[in-house]
Amino acid sequence: MPTLPAICEITDPMMASESHYVGVILALASTAFFGFGAIVKKKAWAKISAQSKHSDEGACSCWREPLFWVCLGLLVFAEVLKGVAYTRASALLVTALWVLSIPITYLFSAIFLKETLTLLREMGCLLCLMGGLVVVNHIPNTQGCVNTLSQLYERLIDPMAVVFCSAALGFTLVLLYFSSPKYAADGPATSLIFLSIAASIGSLYVIAIKGYSVATMDHFINSRSTFTEPLTYVLVSSHFTCCAVHFVYLNKALDRYNVSSTSSIYYVLSTTLTLTGTAIIYREWSAMDFTSVTATLAGYFTILVGVILLHADSIYRSPLTCFASLSGGVTRTYWPAKGHSDFV
């Protein structure tokens, strides 16, 4: 197996910088559309539940509700923007920027759904924003060490990559065919299953879309016939399959449970798996020095602390909830029964 360079080199700094900022803009736009789409979807379900006498009737009538189609379009558009952002910028950068979907969702929930935005949640949103800024400021303008389709092939057949992809796919299949029917009733177990499926298959989706980006750039920049290679079509088919499964199960969680809590849990799971997969295959960390790596890890840790604070006053009965009462009282949220009226 040929040895690939340990350090990533940016062959065209101007092109890399332009692609970097385009990726930033696309990622920010994606978070805004996702947050607003999730809120519109909850409004749609609330309207459907109010008009329907039975849960089955509500499930069928959603296709006749205009708000449902509006939110579906917003969420699909957000996924498209995120996918394009992964092709233009580092996976570390796009994944970090997606943390903004959490405070955006909380803000929109407070404005449009009248959900309680306590002091503790405001602190959590602030920490998420600060952590995201730290990460963005220390990630270089590079998309990793893989620049050609042949290099990508060598990385994909690496034992570590094979183990990760097999584990992610096997874990998803186990949840799809065995765990989901067992925990069909609404509750925290079902939510965790849906979000785990979306995060696990989503990590493969990111690997596939970045691989297709490598094949495209190799074709147009290096003048190689990558569109005749079987690996290119494997990446394309994997991308659409993983994207469809990811979109379906993420929206199943959004349909049944609190928007803000779902977004926060999904971010933690998705970030962990996505960064693990891209670090193994694309090795974007190798383009960073020790200071940048340390600052990036500190930024992600700050984000994690912010996510924990976002749930502290609604899940855990601890002294931390006393701080939330300063902003008008504590509203505790438990996993509700199916009915789509699970607003904080």
Side-chain angles (χ1 to χ4, degrees):
M1 180 185 300
T3 302
L4 297 178
I7 303 297
C8 303
E9 296 182 357
I10 304 175
T11 56
D12 190 341
M14 185 66 67
M15 181 182 299
S17 179
E18 180 182 352
S19 178
H20 174 84
Y21 290 114
V22 170
V24 169
I25 295 173
L26 291 174
L28 291 175
S30 176
T31 59
F33 279 104
F34 178 84
F36 191 69
I39 299 305
V40 173
K41 189 165 194 174
K42 302 304 289 190
K43 295 285 286 186
W45 277 120
K47 186 176 180 180
I48 292 169
S49 299
Q51 296 175 351
S52 303
K53 297 180 180 180
H54 306 287
S55 59
D56 292 340
E57 182 183 349
C60 296
S61 62
C62 68
W63 304 106
R64 300 191 296 269
E65 174 57 46
L67 274 180
F68 180 81
W69 289 102
V70 171
C71 76
L72 188 62
L74 289 172
L75 294 176
V76 169
F77 190 58
E79 288 295 329
V80 171
L81 288 178
K82 184 174 72 169
V84 178
Y86 274 116
T87 68
R88 301 304 300 270
S90 165
L92 297 175
L93 175 66
V94 178
T95 305
L97 286 178
W98 250 74
V99 71
L100 297 179
S101 65
I102 299 176
I104 287 175
T105 303
Y106 270 95
L107 179 62
F108 286 167
S109 298
I111 295 175
F112 299 107
L113 302 181
K114 307 303 180 182
E115 296 186 0
T116 304
L117 190 62
T118 62
L119 177 61
L120 201 60
R121 290 184 176 181
E122 293 173 357
M123 293 169 58
C125 290
L126 181 61
L127 284 175
C128 288
L129 291 173
M130 292 174 61
L133 289 175
V134 171
V135 172
V136 170
N137 287 332
H138 288 85
I139 292 180
N141 302 349
T142 178
Q143 299 190 44
C145 302
V146 179
N147 300 309
T148 65
L149 194 63
S150 59
Q151 288 180 335
L152 177 61
Y153 175 75
E154 296 295 336
R155 289 289 169 81
L156 290 175
I157 63 176
D158 184 80
M160 288 294 293
V162 172
V163 168
F164 175 82
C165 294
S166 300
L169 183 60
F171 180 67
T172 302
L173 292 177
V174 167
L175 292 180
L176 283 173
Y177 294 104
F178 296 101
S179 299
S180 294
K182 183 178 179 181
Y183 298 99
D186 288 329
T190 309
S191 173
L192 188 59
I193 287 173
F194 289 158
L195 294 176
S196 297
I197 292 173
S200 180
I201 205 70
S203 64
L204 299 179
Y205 150 74
V206 173
I207 293 173
I209 187 62
K210 285 192 69 66
Y212 178 70
S213 172
V214 169
T216 303
M217 290 188 296
D218 195 19
H219 177 83
F220 290 104
I221 296 178
N222 300 324
S223 300
R224 293 190 176 97
S225 301
T226 56
F227 291 144
T228 61
E229 297 291 335
L231 179 58
T232 303
Y233 295 97
V234 170
L235 292 171
V236 173
S237 59
S238 300
H239 160 63
F240 284 108
T241 302
C242 294
C243 183
V245 176
H246 165 266
F247 184 79
V248 167
Y249 280 90
L250 178 59
N251 280 276
K252 280 188 176 183
L254 289 173
D255 286 348
R256 291 165 171 80
Y257 308 108
N258 178 268
V259 176
S260 304
S261 300
T262 300
S263 300
S264 302
I265 297 173
Y266 170 73
Y267 178 80
V268 174
L269 295 175
S270 177
T271 298
T272 303
L273 294 174
T274 299
L275 294 184
T276 301
T278 54
I280 291 174
I281 297 177
Y282 297 101
R283 304 184 187 181
E284 296 174 341
W285 294 96
S286 60
M288 305 166 63
D289 55 23
F290 178 77
T291 302
S292 297
V293 171
T294 304
T296 301
L297 292 176
Y300 277 113
F301 181 76
T302 303
I303 293 171
L304 180 60
V305 173
V307 172
I308 293 174
L309 287 180
L310 288 173
H311 293 283
D313 67 328
S314 59
I315 295 180
Y316 302 105
R317 296 180 180 273
S318 70
L320 288 174
T321 57
C322 296
F323 293 101
S325 63
L326 296 176
S327 62
V330 178
T331 301
R332 302 186 185 277
T333 302
Y334 300 96
W335 298 102
K338 188 174 182 179
H340 310 295
S341 59
D342 51 331
F343 309 138
V344 178

